[in-house]
Amino acid sequence: MSELINQQDVASLAVDEAKKLGCEDVSVLCAVSSENQVRFANNSITLVNNVRNITLDVYLSLAKRRIVGSSYNPTTRGIERFVGNLVRSCKALPESEDYVPLPRDPFRYGSHANFDS
């Protein structure tokens, strides 16, 4: 994941690619996690390793067909191929009987007191 280090860039590229390929609805979740590892042998440190992972989850719909996919540690080219493969797979699916489009306008959830006064 040396090309794209910012999760905002990863998510934006996935959304832009899906829109470019004609998707009607696109939703992207991008998460970054870090793992640290220390290995001991004979009371000595033998390995110190740090791993940074980026997970990309994409939901898209096209002509009342919908699909979800995940990719890990994507590159710019990898995101383009991943979204392209999702779109091609989505086109091969039957229309969803319970398809509902994602909301278009910004919306707000009303605040409700979750406790007794």
Side-chain angles (χ1 to χ4, degrees):
M1 190 59 221
S2 59
E3 283 184 61
L4 296 173
I5 57 171
N6 183 350
Q7 71 189 75
Q8 181 67 35
D9 294 341
V10 172
S12 294
L13 181 58
V15 169
D16 293 343
E17 186 67 21
K19 286 181 179 179
K20 183 175 83 173
L21 294 173
C23 293
E24 297 154 0
D25 292 328
V26 182
S27 178
V28 174
L29 293 173
C30 186
V32 177
S33 64
S34 296
E35 298 175 12
N36 300 314
Q37 175 187 12
V38 178
R39 185 174 65 192
F40 290 90
N42 299 325
N43 291 328
S44 298
I45 296 175
T46 58
L47 175 74
V48 176
N49 194 14
N50 299 324
V51 178
R52 183 171 180 260
N53 293 309
I54 295 182
T55 305
L56 177 66
D57 298 312
V58 177
Y59 163 87
L60 56 85
S61 69
L62 183 65
K64 294 188 179 180
R65 294 166 172 84
R66 55 191 180 161
I67 194 166
V68 175
S70 296
S71 181
Y72 302 93
N73 297 324
T75 61
T76 302
R77 178 71 183 120
I79 292 170
E80 292 168 354
R81 284 185 28 221
F82 168 65
V83 173
N85 288 339
L86 270 181
V87 170
R88 281 190 294 282
S89 297
C90 189
K91 288 178 180 177
L93 295 173
E95 286 187 6
S96 178
E97 295 176 10
D98 57 351
Y99 171 77
V100 176
L102 294 175
R104 294 287 177 216
D105 297 326
F107 57 94
R108 295 181 187 216
Y109 293 103
S111 63
H112 300 287
N114 219 10
F115 53 88
D116 293 334
S117 56

